[in-house]
Amino acid sequence: MKTMTFMRLAAAAITAAFLTVSCQEKNPSVPGGEGGETPGAPAYPQTAMTFTVNGEEIPVGKAFADPFNEYVLFTATPDASVNSYEDAVGADDIEYLQVMLLPQYIGRDINLIEEPQSIYCRDNETQTSEIGPEILTSGTARMNFNEETGEYTLLMALEFTDGTKVGVNASAVMSGETPDEGNTITIDGKPNPLRAAFYLEDSGQTYLYFTRSEVYTFDEMAEMALEYFYVILDDSAMTGEEIDITTTDKYFWIGFTDQVNGTQSDATSEDLAGATGTFSAKKTGDETYEMSASIAFGDGKEVSVEFSGKCVSVDYQPEEPNQFTYGGYSQEIKSALVDKSDPDIWHIYLSEVGGLETVGEFEEMWPVHITAPAEGFNIGGIGFSTYKDGSLKFEYEGETWQWADDGSMTGTLEAYLEGDMLEVDFTTYGDLSGHYSGTAVIVE
């Protein structure tokens, strides 16, 4: 029998049932352990550094606590030979249990049916699997932290749909500092760090958007975020008071967009569409807001948001860095020159070396050299196919990109020149690309 046979998981989904076995032995790391019996306490193992499978104890060989983005990452394995969680997850023959937990869940019992967490297992029979409510009949977990010793203790009591009962009691000292508690967005019971928030104030209404995706602008969120939650409110509702969407007379529009599955959930004050829940929102300062929402949409989607902090304006666009990229490696552009001595064909030189002032100095430093018809400036984008005579070309590191009759080379240029202010964007859609906006030496 494998040491972690609890990985033989059933696939049937069964409704939640709390596993309520009393804890009878003293164990300060187990809730209820110090005072003897605590009726209704989860059946966490009493013996430290132990897995239990249907009552059989299996020693924990190693345990690791690590910071992982916003999570506390806890890994336990029966194999005593590994030296880090990377060793465990990177091997093909090491069994382990791994839990990712947000810091705000530390110090309390978690019903894994009602509040699913990111839990992963691997054994030599079934390989890697995720443990979720669909394969549990009951499950509780708890992570404790001892401030004096810096030790984290993971406690788990699970019962799978195939009848297997599993427990965990393992401790480890974290390799780094515990991530700070942060804002969260919980989707269908699964909590996630809330990584981006955006706002718009317009015509007496406030628009707020929240997502777990790592995006930096509203456009990125709309195009690339996995999902996002949004709410539109009259400013009169921005008081911080909790509002029940089923009884309020205030205007609202709440929604959740799932861009992975292409679904949309909505509820408005005019049409709840079967939704229930509450929310509160308040502006707390310049671009700072508080938002708390727990919404069950009529289509079954459930979303909760807890947020306090700075939002980014939907109009924000970051400045693009002055740099060019060749072969995947980027260089800052520190000098620029435009040679207009030929009235028909102009030359742009861009270099990572600062302080260059003549064409000769640029050419000695292997610059990006762009040749383009003068008529191609200040008109928007132009491409190699527009100038099949080769008058539009890019050169760098001994390579040349320009129109090829077989269509093997593509490239576009957008260049604007007003006085000595140059803005240029160029790309070959592969090897070479870049952007520059700033002053340039002008040769006429």
Side-chain angles (χ1 to χ4, degrees):
M1 181 178 70
K2 299 293 182 182
T3 56
M4 295 176 73
T5 55
F6 63 89
M7 283 301 301
R8 294 182 284 106
L9 306 177
I14 298 180
T15 55
F18 241 91
L19 184 62
T20 55
V21 179
S22 299
C23 299
Q24 298 182 354
E25 300 179 31
K26 282 190 175 183
N27 187 337
S29 70
V30 179
E34 287 192 54
E37 275 192 37
T38 304
Y44 301 133
Q46 298 292 298
T47 305
M49 297 303 286
T50 300
F51 297 110
T52 60
V53 180
N54 293 330
E56 177 186 354
E57 292 191 351
I58 301 165
V60 173
K62 285 286 184 67
F64 308 97
D66 298 273
F68 188 81
N69 295 328
E70 294 87 350
Y71 296 91
V72 175
L73 178 68
F74 196 99
T75 310
T77 173
D79 193 322
S81 67
V82 299
N83 296 311
S84 67
Y85 86 87
E86 291 96 340
D87 289 347
V89 301
D92 294 329
D93 58 351
I94 293 178
E95 300 174 317
Y96 61 85
L97 172 77
Q98 192 170 67
V99 178
M100 294 173 62
L101 199 68
L102 291 170
Q104 43 265 56
Y105 284 86
I106 293 174
R108 71 176 180 87
D109 295 307
I110 307 167
N111 183 330
L112 298 175
I113 303 294
E114 297 177 355
E115 298 179 280
Q117 305 295 314
S118 296
I119 306 171
Y120 304 92
C121 289
R122 185 195 183 279
D123 76 358
N124 292 325
E125 294 178 3
T126 61
Q127 302 305 307
T128 303
S129 299
E130 184 172 4
I131 297 178
E134 67 278 1
I135 56 174
L136 294 172
T137 59
S138 65
T140 52
R142 183 185 183 97
M143 186 178 290
N144 291 331
F145 174 64
N146 187 318
E147 293 186 4
E148 294 182 2
T149 64
E151 191 173 60
Y152 291 79
T153 298
L154 175 66
L155 304 166
M156 300 186 75
L158 311 173
E159 183 172 358
F160 294 93
T161 54
D162 67 353
T164 303
K165 295 181 180 180
V166 175
V168 182
N169 183 334
S171 299
V173 175
M174 183 169 281
S175 61
E177 294 184 2
T178 301
D180 293 332
E181 290 189 19
N183 300 312
T184 58
I185 180 168
T186 302
I187 303 169
D188 291 334
K190 191 168 186 176
N192 305 273
L194 196 160
R195 295 186 172 95
F198 302 92
Y199 81 93
L200 170 68
E201 296 177 357
D202 181 56
S203 302
Q205 292 184 325
T206 298
Y207 301 65
L208 298 173
Y209 303 83
F210 305 96
T211 179
R212 65 186 175 110
S213 297
E214 193 81 34
V215 294
Y216 300 96
T217 68
F218 181 79
D219 290 343
E220 287 181 344
M221 185 199 72
E223 294 173 4
M224 299 186 298
L226 298 175
E227 318 99 346
Y228 57 91
F229 176 85
Y230 59 89
V231 58
I232 304 171
L233 303 172
D234 284 338
D235 289 346
S236 61
M238 298 286 294
T239 63
E241 296 182 3
E242 185 175 86
I243 294 173
D244 187 324
I245 67 172
T246 63
T247 59
T248 185
D249 59 357
K250 296 183 180 297
Y251 171 81
F252 68 84
W253 186 349
I254 293 178
F256 180 78
T257 300
D258 183 338
Q259 302 201 117
V260 175
N261 298 310
T263 59
Q264 179 79 28
S265 306
D266 285 290
T268 70
S269 48
E270 287 80 16
D271 183 8
L272 289 174
T276 59
T278 60
F279 69 83
S280 63
K282 180 171 68 172
K283 183 173 183 178
T284 56
D286 185 23
E287 297 190 322
T288 61
Y289 298 83
E290 290 180 357
M291 179 77 194
S292 178
S294 180
I295 305 296
F297 291 97
D299 60 6
K301 180 65 66 176
E302 296 183 0
V303 183
S304 297
V305 168
E306 294 295 334
F307 175 84
S308 178
K310 187 177 181 65
C311 292
V312 177
S313 169
V314 299
D315 298 321
Y316 167 71
Q317 292 294 333
E319 289 187 10
E320 191 172 353
N322 288 336
Q323 65 180 29
F324 67 90
T325 301
Y326 174 70
Y329 183 69
S330 297
Q331 291 273 14
E332 183 182 359
I333 298 173
K334 296 181 180 179
S335 294
L337 180 146
V338 180
D339 183 355
K340 300 168 54 181
S341 55
D342 184 326
D344 298 318
I345 301 295
W346 291 357
H347 300 266
I348 301 172
Y349 296 89
L350 305 169
S351 177
E352 66 267 30
V353 178
L356 306 182
E357 294 184 350
T358 69
V359 171
E361 290 176 342
F362 273 89
E363 289 178 338
E364 289 178 358
M365 295 301 173
W366 291 87
V368 172
H369 178 196
I370 298 172
T371 302
E375 67 180 22
F377 282 68
N378 301 328
I379 64 170
I382 57 176
F384 290 163
S385 61
T386 310
Y387 297 95
K388 296 181 180 180
D389 60 356
S391 57
L392 174 62
K393 63 181 178 180
F394 309 151
E395 298 171 273
Y396 183 67
E397 292 285 350
E399 291 194 61
T400 300
W401 297 265
Q402 61 189 125
W403 170 254
D405 290 336
D406 62 1
S408 60
M409 288 192 180
T410 57
T412 56
L413 170 71
E414 193 168 351
Y416 299 89
L417 184 64
E418 296 290 340
D420 64 351
M421 295 300 299
L422 172 67
E423 182 173 350
V424 58
D425 290 275
F426 59 95
T427 180
T428 63
Y429 299 98
D431 298 323
L432 180 70
S433 63
H435 167 84
Y436 178 78
S437 180
T439 59
V441 176
I442 306 298
V443 177
E444 297 189 82

